[in-house]
Amino acid sequence: MINQFKGFVKFGIVGLINTGVDFIVFTLLIYALTNMPYIVAQVISYSCGIVNSYLLNKRWTFKAKNQNGVQEKMRFVIVNAITLLLTLLILKVCSEWFGLSVLVSKLVATCVSVLMNYVGSRYWVFTSSKVGGV
């Protein structure tokens, strides 16, 4: 139980870093650099975050030892593709249906995606490893 809690805390730290990468790239794409449509910006910014997520979660959070990793990478892509689709839906619903700002909508989508991503990563992607490396 304590090891699972430590693993979730590590996942949370990695998630904060990923979220920072995602939000910075998203904000730059939307406001500072290109005035890009938010759906395109979300795909790009989320992709930047998941590359970081895979590397940090594999090595630090779950200490996965699988050297081949093809199946692990495919599962990771699947979990994150589903999460991305969910965030796109949440962004659309929050911003277009409920009239929330894009950044508030992004925050809502991020909160929902954290839990889904942890469960998918912990129980399906990195199943050959133990949480917290124990």
Side-chain angles (χ1 to χ4, degrees):
M1 183 73 143
I2 290 174
N3 287 332
Q4 287 182 342
F5 179 73
K6 286 180 183 178
F8 187 74
V9 169
K10 285 181 174 183
F11 185 83
I13 291 168
V14 170
L16 288 173
I17 295 167
N18 301 336
T19 300
V21 168
D22 183 9
F23 264 90
I24 289 168
V25 172
F26 183 81
T27 302
L28 287 173
L29 291 172
I30 292 288
Y31 297 109
L33 300 178
T34 63
N35 200 24
M36 180 179 289
Y38 69 85
I39 296 294
V40 175
Q42 173 66 8
V43 171
I44 293 169
S45 67
Y46 189 82
S47 297
C48 292
I50 66 168
V51 168
N52 185 66
S53 175
Y54 180 79
L55 296 172
L56 290 178
N57 279 317
K58 178 178 177 68
R59 292 190 173 99
W60 185 56
T61 306
F62 300 110
K63 297 188 189 275
K65 305 271 190 239
N66 186 352
Q67 296 301 315
N68 181 4
V70 173
Q71 183 179 21
E72 179 183 271
K73 287 179 181 111
M74 289 304 299
R75 287 180 177 190
F76 186 82
V77 168
I78 291 167
V79 165
N80 280 281
I82 292 169
T83 302
L84 175 60
L85 290 174
L86 178 64
T87 63
L88 292 172
L89 177 64
I90 292 169
L91 276 171
K92 184 170 184 68
V93 167
C94 289
S95 65
E96 294 181 16
W97 294 4
F98 295 121
L100 299 175
S101 75
V102 174
L103 289 179
V104 171
S105 300
K106 172 77 170 157
L107 181 62
V108 172
T110 299
C111 290
V112 172
S113 72
V114 166
L115 181 59
M116 181 178 175
N117 206 315
Y118 177 77
V119 170
S121 293
R122 171 66 181 101
Y123 296 105
W124 194 52
V125 176
F126 299 110
T127 58
S128 64
S129 61
K130 295 179 185 173
V131 174
V134 179

